[in-house]
Amino acid sequence: MTLSSNPDRPRVDARQKVLGEALFAADQRVDNLLHAMTVPASIAKGRIRAIDSSAALKVPGVVRVMTFDDFADIRTTPASRGAYGQPGKGYQPMTGPDIVHRGEPVALVLAETLEAAIEGAESVSVEYDEAAEFTALMEQDGAEEESEVFTRLDHGDAEGAFADAVHKVDVTYRHPQQHHNPIELISTTALFSEGKLRILEGTQWSSALAGGLAGMIGREPQSVRASSPYVGGGFGQKNGIQEQSALVARAATIMARPVKLVMPRGQLFHTASYRPRSLHHVRLAADADGKLAAGLYRTEQQNSRYDGYNPLFGETPPRMYGYPNWAGEDRVIRVDTQTPGHQRAPHEHPSCYATECALDELAHELGMDPVELRLANDTEKDPITGKPYSSRHLAECLRRGARMIDWGRRRREPGTLRAENGDRIGLGVACGNYKASMSPAITTLRLQANGVCRISLSGHEMGQGLRSVIAAELIEVLGVDPAKLDIRIGDTGLAPQMLTAGSWGTASVAPAARAAALKLRANLVELIGRDDFEGPAHVQLAKTRRPMLKVEIATVPLGEGPQAIDNLRRGLPVTTGPEYADFMAFSWIAHFAEVHVEPSTGRVRTRRFASVIDCGRVMNRRTTESQVKGGVVWAIGAALREIGETDPRYGRVLNNDLAEYLVPVNADIDWIDVDVIDEPDTRLNLSGVKGAGEVAMVGAAAAIANAVFNATGKRIRHLPIRIEDLL
């Protein structure tokens, strides 16, 4: 079947979510439940001397206070990702008396009610021997720079070309620590019965959660089942085993009762992963005509002492334009904090912020329009490998976006375009890219003659519309009724679950659903003896007098073999891309921002945004546009609001709540225009999709920063841009 353009459809689960019928992990009703609450460490580094739980045990409803004596045998292995049957973290709190970062759990209170658990946790008294010294920030004494270079990409003679160039910039940009703050708090519910352990947790990778926990607490992998039917925002924070997961699982087995823990938001600033602080040194050079001559890019990223979170900032910037010479490297700075992790467009957002702002500086140095500079350096081949791109419509993204924002209004001289009220108007542009990756899947599809259709496969619904993607393929191939469609994902009891992250969710489940639907259709054609039927497949099935038809299919991504399915079953990460045998594959986007700056106060308002995305075939225009708008809103926060303020004296995030950790609200957002290229990339997969969720944010903060310069003439090389920077 040929690929068709998908019509505008509402989300298939929109009604359930609005009515509260879509149950998230912590919403599941569980009988005989014990509520848990952690006691966070009040020091940044040291050792527990004593724990007094007597007052907590006197609180009515408190059943037990658990300490490291109860969890000492939980196993951990450095840098483990929680693979199936293997330990899941490099450090697990409450396995001993040592404290390695502020806020880590030091006691777990179990009670009959949530209120009793909270009161009990507040009543636990802990004495510590504090370490004489600790390091909270990468700029402080005691921070350790690792000698190992994590990412190095070299092409040509970048140093020589930079030295010989006439036009060049040499700048350093700083990106702050930031925190996810998803609406759904991190939680774990564990149920232990008849030797089986079931975990309900909002996670992006339930197979690794189940297998990793099994390894950590010494259980057989097949005895642990993890379920995550919906995730209320993941963005990378929920793609690994959390600090509380093993504690709750072990508590349930010890108590022989279900245990639920919902981590308070204030504690999550110290126990969950986050976007780390990073420094970006960028050098760019071009000739008088604006043709790029060289790019040099060195980064440093803050990390914990004990775990691996590799910096990959340098992977995508050299793929943005036709750099004839490139040199880049990424390094790690270790301090006393919890391990950072992926946060939407984890490395691509900070790296494109730095490199796209530097490119804007180069355009100013050249006296050249920033859009024209980017168009002049468009390329159809990857500069690093020399391979062609599977598809690239970035130039069209730039041209469309320029028309949408009315780019011709922009003045080359900063600060010269004014609004009627006197506000200085600035226009900025930046581009972004994100790898096009895929993961294997195992799909079971069952169609009944009465029209009921059930599909179970790999994947997690995090609000990105994965169920709607699956539905779109089944509607197109089989003509199923969305009201009779039962989509089951995120549960290891139904199918092995892939890690759903990195924008490969759609590129993985769409081809899997389509392949299963085509196989079922082919089986139906064999039964009825013709392949030109029109209308719903279940009507044709009913004519055969068969009650149902069922197929199971395993799909592997391009470049992978049968081993990929075995690794999927074992909970191992199996993703491909962006490099394939014959090409490189990326999604692309162009962002345009219009900001207004009030001259006396320096207040910045983003008045208009225009974004054009090339993400392959668009499976659902409504959810795709929503993804882009959400990425832009997040970028407005990243550029103008968000920063985790860590007190270097105590290692504490001072603004550890949504009252003081500032994110955009409705009043901060004006008009956001989104357009899509919608060109299928069939070289990549059966459905022609690449991915939209991550690339949506990449480059958007840079567009804002560049617009602020165009409005004020002040080049701010750190985020967030604050009023005091512009006064």
Side-chain angles (χ1 to χ4, degrees):
M1 295 182 65
T2 58
L3 295 174
S4 64
S5 181
N6 283 298
D8 182 32
R9 292 192 185 101
R11 294 173 181 260
V12 296
D13 53 3
R15 181 176 175 82
Q16 287 85 350
K17 287 186 175 180
V18 170
L19 295 177
E21 295 173 356
L23 297 182
F24 294 73
D27 299 330
Q28 306 286 333
R29 182 178 177 85
V30 178
D31 294 329
N32 197 30
L33 183 68
L34 285 174
H35 294 268
M37 186 54 59
T38 54
V39 178
S42 59
I43 64 170
K45 191 175 184 179
R47 191 176 178 86
I48 297 172
R49 184 190 314 141
I51 299 177
D52 183 358
S53 58
S54 58
L57 291 170
K58 294 177 182 178
V59 174
V62 170
V63 174
R64 182 165 175 174
V65 177
M66 307 182 82
T67 68
F68 62 82
D69 290 328
D70 297 292
F71 303 111
D73 62 340
I74 291 179
R75 296 180 289 175
T76 59
T77 298
S80 174
R81 296 285 182 179
Y84 197 64
Q86 300 295 318
K89 291 175 69 67
Y91 173 71
Q92 173 62 49
M94 288 185 65
T95 55
D98 292 334
I99 303 297
V100 303
H101 68 81
R102 189 184 186 96
E104 67 176 81
V106 296
L108 184 72
V109 177
L110 306 177
E112 299 290 352
T113 66
L114 176 60
E115 293 77 11
I118 293 172
E119 184 178 349
E122 293 173 345
S123 303
V124 174
S125 176
V126 185
E127 297 179 14
Y128 303 95
D129 292 321
E130 291 192 58
E133 296 179 349
F134 73 92
T135 306
L137 302 173
M138 59 188 286
E139 297 86 358
Q140 288 182 275
D141 291 340
E144 297 178 289
E145 179 178 341
E146 288 199 350
S147 58
E148 177 185 1
V149 177
F150 279 92
T151 310
R152 187 191 297 276
L153 288 177
D154 293 294
H155 169 65
D157 179 13
E159 288 284 0
F162 184 83
D164 295 339
V166 176
H167 298 282
K168 47 193 170 185
V169 295
D170 184 339
V171 292
T172 298
Y173 280 81
R174 296 180 181 272
H175 197 283
Q177 176 175 318
Q178 294 174 335
H179 297 264
H180 300 68
N181 285 299
I183 295 176
E184 179 204 27
L185 295 172
I186 286 173
S187 72
T188 304
T189 303
L191 303 87
F192 183 67
S193 177
E194 298 180 354
K196 302 287 186 180
L197 182 64
R198 187 179 181 197
I199 305 294
L200 303 173
E201 182 169 315
T203 178
Q204 298 171 232
W205 196 6
S206 52
S207 279
L209 173 63
L213 284 179
M216 293 178 74
I217 63 177
R219 303 198 64 82
E220 290 298 320
Q222 61 270 22
S223 71
V224 182
R225 175 180 177 180
S227 177
S228 179
Y230 290 92
V231 184
F235 308 109
Q237 191 177 62
K238 298 175 182 175
N239 66 5
I241 295 177
Q242 305 291 337
E243 287 198 354
Q244 85 287 339
S245 302
L247 305 179
V248 176
R250 172 54 60 80
T253 61
I254 292 174
M255 301 300 294
R257 287 181 63 181
V259 176
K260 178 167 79 172
L261 170 62
V262 179
M263 293 291 289
R265 191 173 298 277
Q267 291 190 29
L268 290 175
F269 277 76
H270 298 96
T271 59
S273 61
Y274 58 96
R275 194 192 303 278
R277 299 163 74 92
S278 56
L279 181 145
H280 306 257
H281 182 202
V282 188
R283 291 182 286 165
L284 301 179
D287 64 20
D289 295 324
K291 294 296 290 184
L292 289 168
L296 298 99
Y297 182 38
R298 185 184 190 276
T299 77
E300 296 176 355
Q301 173 191 277
Q302 182 169 296
N303 209 334
S304 69
R305 301 279 190 192
Y306 57 85
D307 238 341
Y309 174 60
N310 296 346
L312 304 172
F313 298 105
E315 285 193 338
T316 55
R319 276 66 192 248
M320 281 299 309
Y321 309 106
Y323 289 99
N325 302 282
W326 181 271
E329 64 178 43
D330 298 323
R331 295 179 179 270
V332 155
I333 309 292
R334 294 199 175 272
V335 299
D336 299 306
T337 181
Q338 81 268 31
T339 300
H342 298 89
Q343 182 171 331
R344 193 177 194 178
H347 297 103
E348 293 77 8
H349 156 67
S351 65
C352 272
Y353 154 65
T355 56
E356 288 290 303
C357 284
L359 196 70
D360 198 73
E361 296 201 45
L362 183 62
H364 188 71
E365 159 71 19
L366 286 161
M368 190 173 183
D369 183 274
V371 173
E372 293 303 319
L373 176 60
R374 287 166 170 82
L375 290 172
N377 290 281
D378 192 26
T379 179
E380 295 299 320
K381 290 186 177 181
D382 172 41
I384 303 299
T385 65
K387 294 182 178 183
Y389 292 117
S390 60
S391 63
R392 175 178 162 116
H393 303 284
L394 182 59
E396 178 61 19
C397 291
L398 281 163
R399 294 188 181 100
R400 285 195 200 180
R403 291 193 296 269
M404 291 162 63
I405 202 77
D406 190 12
W407 184 254
R409 296 175 296 140
R410 181 183 182 274
R411 307 281 179 83
R412 290 194 177 185
E413 187 64 30
T416 56
L417 184 62
R418 300 277 180 143
E420 291 184 1
N421 66 354
D423 284 357
R424 290 172 289 184
I425 299 175
L427 296 176
V429 62
C431 296
N433 60 347
Y434 196 91
K435 62 183 179 182
S437 297
M438 296 172 288
S439 182
I442 296 175
T443 306
T444 302
L445 176 62
R446 173 190 172 116
L447 178 66
Q448 296 178 197
N450 63 3
V452 173
C453 184
R454 177 186 297 172
I455 185 170
S456 302
L457 71 163
S458 310
H460 298 79
E461 176 62 73
M462 302 179 289
Q464 81 277 44
L466 211 62
R467 281 184 167 84
S468 299
V469 167
I470 296 167
E473 293 291 51
L474 298 182
I475 291 169
E476 180 178 341
V477 178
L478 299 175
V480 301
D481 180 355
K484 294 184 177 182
L485 183 55
D486 181 10
I487 301 172
R488 301 186 176 190
I489 53 179
D491 191 334
T492 61
L494 302 174
Q497 298 298 314
M498 66 176 176
L499 168 62
T500 307
S503 272
W504 60 71
T506 296
S508 303
V509 304
R514 190 175 188 87
L518 290 171
K519 183 177 180 180
L520 190 144
R521 185 184 176 95
N523 290 355
L524 182 57
V525 166
E526 282 189 24
L527 288 174
I528 64 176
R530 51 191 290 264
D531 61 3
D532 60 344
F533 67 84
E534 296 181 358
H538 77 272
V539 174
Q540 303 299 321
L541 178 60
K543 294 177 182 178
T544 69
R545 299 184 181 276
R546 293 174 63 105
M548 69 91 175
L549 200 56
K550 178 181 176 181
V551 297
E552 181 174 309
I553 188 169
T555 51
V556 298
L558 188 67
E560 290 288 337
Q563 183 63 36
I565 296 297
D566 182 56
N567 288 339
L568 175 69
R569 293 185 188 277
R570 297 169 57 208
L572 295 171
V574 190
T575 54
T576 60
E579 184 172 357
Y580 299 89
D582 300 321
F583 54 80
M584 300 288 289
F586 289 86
S587 290
W588 313 91
I589 198 165
H591 292 289
F592 291 79
E594 177 184 327
V595 304
H596 289 208
V597 181
E598 207 282 326
S600 59
T601 65
R603 186 187 69 171
V604 179
R605 293 295 302 270
T606 305
R607 288 297 188 187
R608 186 164 188 149
F609 230 95
S611 303
V612 185
I613 185 172
D614 167 22
C615 58
R617 178 168 169 243
V618 174
M619 296 303 304
N620 185 299
R621 176 137 190 163
R622 191 172 305 193
T623 58
T624 301
E625 290 184 0
S626 178
Q627 284 278 29
V628 176
K629 289 179 179 179
V632 168
V633 170
W634 201 331
I636 291 171
L640 304 175
R641 298 284 188 274
E642 291 186 54
I643 181 172
E645 301 279 12
T646 300
D647 189 329
R649 301 169 299 170
Y650 307 111
R652 180 186 177 193
V653 180
L654 296 172
N655 55 335
N656 62 336
D657 55 50
L658 287 176
E660 295 184 308
Y661 185 89
L662 302 181
V663 297
V665 297
N666 285 348
D668 297 311
I669 308 302
D670 283 309
W671 198 256
I672 302 174
D673 284 325
V674 177
D675 198 5
V676 296
I677 299 297
D678 199 9
E679 286 287 342
D681 191 338
T682 53
R683 298 181 70 184
L684 195 61
N685 57 58
L686 185 66
S687 297
V689 300
K690 294 194 287 189
E694 305 274 12
V695 76
M697 186 179 177
V698 182
I704 295 170
N706 293 337
V708 169
F709 170 75
N710 184 243
T712 66
K714 294 185 177 182
R715 185 69 70 175
I716 311 303
R717 299 192 180 101
H718 63 257
L719 297 182
I721 298 172
R722 288 173 158 162
I723 287 175
E724 57 265 33
D725 296 320
L726 301 176
L727 292 178

